[in-house]
């Protein structure tokens, strides 16, 4: 897989089906396991663990539990406290911070992830202001009178003495057809001597809106966010509501995990790890980010 991804990074144009197959292999490296649930393997203490199953009601609480910075009742621990970020506490929490209904994350992968966390405690602390994590927000807008779901990618940005959330990228399915490069017709280009005509032949580039993308650079990447901001300023795009939100983490070196909110009966609820992928190379990490940003079709 590593060689495939390296070759993929060197090419500017890759057949869509091949890219999706590579991503499928990357995201499907876990298999359904029929062995003992990972929770039982990770939480080996004999005391009753049920009290640890209180819902992680907020993302900040997930951070504290992942790092071992609060007790089972939600009381904060501080550096002077003995349990603060202790291996014992972190191991307990790691056993219950996964979505147990997702059989696609194997027990062996959870165990490997947990062992790396507890064996490298200083390098595996989630940092709220540390970057390398972002939110994916699915929001409902009305575009020219029609309801449309648009994905906004949010990041934390330093702002004076504090931080603020900003819209980093966006993707709207409704815009995709307008940015498809027409490769069915050959010969649509501007002659290399066009400059001698003061580029007057640009007229043919804009004569047909369906083929105008042929006159852009090969590495042109459409920026959906700019288009959406333009439409919003014109009054054509109106925000209605947020449908859902989830978070993508790349802070732990060599790993990616997704954080989602689960509202359901039982103890395994709240903000839980809903996807886990081991990343062997930087190329795998970069490819996965492009996939999450809808930059690979």
């Amino acid at each position: 897989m590593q060689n495939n991804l390296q070759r993929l990074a060197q090419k500017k144009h890759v057949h869509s089906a091949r890219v999706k197959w590579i991503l499928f292999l990357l995201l499907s490296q876990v298999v359904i396991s029929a062995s003992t649930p990972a929770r039982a393997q990770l939480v080996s203490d004999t005391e009753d663990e049920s009290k640890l199953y209180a819902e992680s009601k907020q993302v900040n609480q997930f951070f504290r539990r992942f790092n071992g910075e609060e007790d089972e009742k939600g009381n904060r621990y501080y550096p002077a406290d003995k349990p603060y970020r202790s291996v014992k506490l972190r191991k307990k929490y790691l056993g219950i911070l996964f979505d147990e209904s997702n059989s696609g994350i194997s027990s062996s992968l959870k165990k490997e992830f947990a062992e790396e966390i507890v064996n490298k405690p200083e390098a595996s602390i989630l940092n709220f202001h540390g970057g390398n994590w972002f939110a994916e927000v699915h929001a409902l807008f009305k575009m020219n009178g029609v309801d449309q779901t648009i994905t906004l990618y949010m990041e934390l940005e330093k702002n004076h003495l504090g931080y603020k959330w900003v819209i980093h990228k966006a993707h709207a399915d409704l815009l995709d057809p307008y940015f498809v490069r027409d490769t069915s017709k050959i010969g649509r280009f501007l002659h290399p001597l066009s400059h001698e005509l003061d580029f007057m032949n640009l007229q043919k580039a804009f004569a047909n809106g369906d083929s105008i993308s042929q006159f852009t650079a090969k590495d042109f990447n459409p920026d959906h966010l700019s288009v959406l901001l333009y439409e919003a300023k014109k009054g054509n795009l109106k925000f209605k509501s947020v449908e859902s939100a989830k978070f993508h983490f790349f802070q732990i070196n060599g790993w990616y995990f997704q954080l989602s909110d689960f509202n359901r009966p039982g103890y395994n609820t709240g903000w839980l790890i809903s996807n886990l992928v081991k990343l062997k190379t930087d190329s795998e990490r970069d490819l996965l980010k492009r996939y999450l940003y809808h930059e690979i079709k």
Side-chain angles (χ1 to χ4, degrees), residues 135-139 149-154 239 242-246:
E136 178 181 331
V137 179
H138 295 266
T149 297
I150 295 175
T151 304
L152 304 177
Y153 298 97
M154 316 291 294
F239 175 83
V242 170
E243 295 181 325
S244 64
K246 56 187 175 182

Side-chain angles (χ1 to χ4, degrees), residues 1 23 25-30 98 105 109 113 249-250 252-258 273-280 284-285 288:
M1 181 189 296
L23 283 164
L25 292 177
L26 176 62
L27 294 171
S28 303
Q29 58 182 285
V30 297
F98 285 90
I105 307 178
L109 192 69
F113 178 70
F249 286 81
F250 290 87
I252 307 301
N253 187 41
W255 293 89
Y256 155 80
F257 68 85
Q258 176 180 292
I273 296 175
S274 54
N275 196 5
L276 179 67
V277 177
K278 184 175 183 180
L279 303 171
K280 298 178 182 178
E284 287 187 1
R285 179 200 61 206
L288 182 52

Side-chain angles (χ1 to χ4, degrees), residues 26-258:
L26 176 62
L27 294 171
S28 303
Q29 58 182 285
V30 297
V31 296
I32 297 177
S33 175
S35 61
T36 305
R39 174 170 55 82
Q41 296 180 4
L42 297 177
V43 184
S44 57
D45 200 278
T46 56
E47 67 179 89
D48 180 14
E49 62 172 312
S50 61
K51 61 183 180 181
L52 290 171
Y53 275 79
E55 177 184 3
S56 295
K57 299 177 180 63
Q58 299 178 336
V59 175
N60 283 7
Q61 187 175 34
F62 173 86
F63 271 77
R64 293 194 296 271
R65 290 185 169 192
F66 186 94
N67 292 341
E69 297 171 352
E70 72 170 35
D71 66 13
E72 66 276 5
K73 296 180 181 179
N75 299 314
R76 294 285 301 274
Y77 287 131
Y78 296 93
D81 300 321
K82 185 177 180 181
Y84 180 78
R85 295 183 179 178
S86 68
V87 170
K88 181 180 179 180
L89 183 60
R90 296 194 72 190
K91 189 174 181 180
K92 284 184 178 181
Y93 275 132
L94 283 170
I96 63 168
L97 289 178
F98 285 90
D99 169 25
E100 293 297 335
S101 68
N102 184 359
S103 58
I105 307 178
S106 70
S107 299
S108 59
L109 192 69
K110 292 180 186 178
K111 187 172 186 294
E112 182 181 357
F113 178 70
E115 288 177 347
E116 186 159 333
I117 296 301
V118 297
N119 291 334
K120 300 178 181 178
E122 295 305 318
S124 60
I125 296 295
L126 294 182
N127 183 350
F128 189 83
H129 301 119
N132 287 319
W133 72 292
F134 59 90
E136 178 181 331
V137 179
H138 295 266
L140 185 64
F141 289 81
K142 187 175 286 290
M143 178 72 167
N144 292 324
V146 179
D147 285 352
Q148 302 281 357
T149 297
I150 295 175
T151 304
L152 304 177
Y153 298 97
M154 316 291 294
E155 288 189 354
L156 281 171
E157 181 178 87
K158 191 168 180 57
N159 181 43
H160 302 296
L161 298 179
Y163 286 82
K164 64 180 181 180
W165 282 100
V166 297
I167 305 173
H168 176 60
K169 291 176 180 286
H171 179 267
D173 289 341
L174 65 99
L175 296 179
D176 280 339
Y178 298 100
F179 294 111
V180 174
R181 184 184 293 272
D182 182 8
T183 59
S184 62
K185 299 177 182 178
I186 302 175
R188 294 185 180 274
F189 65 93
L190 295 176
H191 194 278
L193 293 178
S194 297
H195 61 286
E196 300 292 1
L197 301 173
D198 294 334
F199 295 101
M200 292 299 295
N201 54 347
L202 276 170
Q203 179 180 356
K204 74 175 184 179
F206 289 91
N208 187 345
D210 292 336
S211 60
I212 191 172
S213 60
Q214 286 196 349
F215 298 91
T216 60
K218 291 180 179 179
D219 59 356
F220 167 69
N221 247 338
D223 179 7
H224 285 203
L225 179 56
S226 295
V227 177
L228 294 172
L229 292 177
Y230 171 76
E231 294 294 346
K233 288 182 178 181
K234 288 186 64 178
N236 297 327
L237 184 69
K238 301 290 185 181
F239 175 83
K240 294 188 68 176
S241 63
V242 170
E243 295 181 325
S244 64
K246 56 187 175 182
F247 299 86
H248 304 282
F249 286 81
F250 290 87
Q251 282 197 4
I252 307 301
N253 187 41
W255 293 89
Y256 155 80
F257 68 85
Q258 176 180 292

